[in-house]
Amino acid sequence: KKNTHYITVKDNGNGMSSQQFINIFSCYNKNDKGEYTFFNNGISLKLSIIRLCNECLIISKTLTTVCVAMISNNLQVTIDTDSLIIPIVIFEIEKDNKFRIVNQFGLQSLNLLLHEVDFLFHSKEEFYLYLNSLTTGVVFYLMDMKRLTKDIYELNFDDTDNDIYYITKQKVLD
């Protein structure tokens, strides 16, 4: 059975442009000075997320675009690959608040990641309604965390007891 507990982290900034969004998943790209860098930003985001949880849905919304991606160990197992596959969907927001997919393989990526998060969004329509409800900014859904007990999940920072826990039921102490 799929672990449906998650933590949401949101900001209300301007969101990332589609190029900035793609760059955070890339290990090799230009920095602000136009210099090519290796392992500058993308590798750290991917490794940090995989260290915290097995799946993360990332949504960035600007006034004109919405970018969606998923980093998932579970997806890697499902597809049976040694590579970490990151489905990315880039939407342009049209005047009537409809979303148009503009990147190659965007529809296939959307179907793949919606299948992985079907407990959050039961249909594409529900997902689009959610995207419309967002203001600008970035949202992270940290999912499939390390399960410690029946009711306690941990963001898997390290092997110490000083971590962040998510408790699914409130326990009453006598």
Side-chain angles (χ1 to χ4, degrees):
K1 184 180 176 190
K2 189 169 191 137
N3 175 354
T4 58
H5 299 286
Y6 60 91
I7 294 176
T8 306
V9 179
K10 295 182 180 183
D11 78 35
N12 61 353
N14 296 325
M16 291 179 268
S17 71
S18 56
Q19 192 57 55
Q20 289 170 321
F21 192 79
I22 291 168
N23 285 349
I24 66 172
F25 302 107
S26 174
C27 296
Y28 186 75
N29 55 48
K30 287 184 182 181
N31 63 16
D32 295 345
K33 298 174 187 172
E35 304 164 326
Y36 282 96
T37 58
F38 189 65
F39 295 120
N40 191 31
N41 55 13
I43 193 78
S44 59
L45 175 72
K46 289 181 276 194
L47 291 178
S48 297
I49 287 176
I50 292 301
R51 181 73 175 115
L52 293 175
C53 57
N54 284 317
E55 287 190 311
C56 181
L57 179 67
I58 305 162
I59 302 170
S60 175
K61 185 174 183 181
T62 68
L63 295 174
T64 59
T65 62
V66 175
C67 303
V68 183
M70 172 165 277
I71 298 174
S72 172
N73 279 330
N74 300 334
L75 185 58
Q76 184 178 358
V77 171
T78 301
I79 296 175
D80 191 25
T81 181
D82 293 332
S83 301
L84 184 61
I85 305 296
I86 302 174
I88 296 175
V89 185
I90 299 172
F91 299 96
E92 285 184 353
I93 304 172
E94 297 180 337
K95 290 182 183 181
D96 57 357
N97 281 332
K98 296 214 175 185
F99 301 97
R100 184 172 56 88
I101 297 173
V102 295
N103 63 314
Q104 186 178 19
F105 305 114
L107 182 59
Q108 295 91 332
S109 294
L110 178 63
N111 291 332
L112 194 59
L113 59 82
L114 284 179
H115 175 73
E116 290 295 308
V117 295
D118 59 357
F119 65 93
L120 286 173
F121 310 105
H122 298 74
S123 67
K124 279 185 191 175
E125 293 74 25
E126 188 176 328
F127 180 67
Y128 290 139
L129 286 172
Y130 174 74
L131 294 181
N132 266 324
S133 74
L134 294 174
T135 58
T136 60
V138 180
V139 181
F140 287 85
Y141 285 93
L142 303 171
M143 302 172 282
D144 197 10
M145 297 166 283
K146 179 180 176 184
R147 186 174 186 174
L148 299 177
T149 69
K150 179 181 176 205
D151 298 325
I152 300 175
Y153 294 84
E154 171 190 17
L155 282 173
N156 192 20
F157 291 108
D158 54 37
D159 294 331
T160 69
D161 292 331
N162 301 320
D163 291 326
I164 297 173
Y165 298 100
Y166 174 83
I167 301 172
T168 59
K169 293 182 182 177
Q170 183 67 35
K171 295 187 178 190
V172 178
L173 301 175
D174 293 327

